[in-house]
Amino acid sequence: MTAQARQLAAMIRESWSPGRPFVVGIDGRSGVGKSTLSARVGEILGEDCRVIGGDDFYTGGTPQDWDARSPAEKAAHCLDWRRQHAVLSALRRGEEASWHPFDWDAFDGSLHTTATFARPARVVVLDCVYSCRPELAGLLDLRVLVETDPTRRRERLRARDGDDWQATWIQRWEEAEDFYFGQVVTRAGFDLVVTT
């Protein structure tokens, strides 16, 4: 994935302009390599780049809350785009941003009491599925869709989540991603498609 990261970093360097941060959404299904690509772009760009992880903004609630929702509701409420909007807006204005990340250890809907802070940089990358949703489109200078072979994606999910990933994954998450990429933001709605 290093070659793809170098190409994306080069494209970003060619596109940024002085005056305000260049904001990139890196979107794609779970397991396609978004976080790896985002991290490598961040390493290449160094101090010029801030990578914001979307998992901090999870708002899907408990597994029981999530399971009770329709695919459209899951896609709409998985991540708190309003808080993401506030963070990206502040960074785009050249201001420091802060937010309280979701408490994954408690997993009861609560947020950490300690805030996370991000100082502005020439490039801001929002790394998560749903990062290029319409509500954030006005803040994004580049919308990137990351794709990979379905077999490779399943292997990555198994490596990340263990052998029981398939038992709960399709029921809990896949239908939300199917709705999002089929109805909310289709492939044609991205500026760039990167295959990992």
Side-chain angles (χ1 to χ4, degrees), residues 23 84-93 124 126 136 139-140:
V23 182
Q84 290 177 329
H85 193 285
V87 167
L88 294 180
S89 294
L91 292 171
R92 194 174 160 111
R93 291 190 304 267
V124 176
L126 179 61
L136 300 177
L139 297 171
L140 301 175

Side-chain angles (χ1 to χ4, degrees), residues 67-166:
D67 291 345
R69 293 178 172 156
S70 70
E73 290 170 328
K74 290 176 181 179
H77 300 291
C78 183
L79 299 179
D80 189 345
W81 64 263
R82 290 171 180 84
R83 290 196 307 131
Q84 290 177 329
H85 193 285
V87 167
L88 294 180
S89 294
L91 292 171
R92 194 174 160 111
R93 291 190 304 267
E95 301 169 2
E96 183 176 71
S98 67
W99 65 94
H100 291 268
F102 181 79
D103 188 339
W104 287 97
D105 292 327
F107 210 106
D108 59 3
S110 62
L111 303 178
H112 278 286
T113 55
T114 303
T116 296
F117 294 88
R119 291 191 294 179
R122 291 187 75 179
V123 177
V124 176
V125 174
L126 179 61
D127 156 37
C128 61
V129 63
Y130 312 113
S131 67
C132 295
R133 60 180 310 111
E135 295 87 349
L136 300 177
L139 297 171
L140 301 175
D141 298 296
L142 181 64
R143 293 164 299 174
V144 179
L145 174 64
V146 182
E147 295 181 329
T148 197
D149 175 83
T151 301
R152 181 175 292 132
R153 179 172 172 254
R154 286 191 296 272
E155 289 169 355
R156 288 175 180 165
L157 288 170
R158 187 175 290 111
R160 185 183 77 186
D161 298 328
D163 289 334
D164 62 345
W165 70 272
Q166 193 167 4

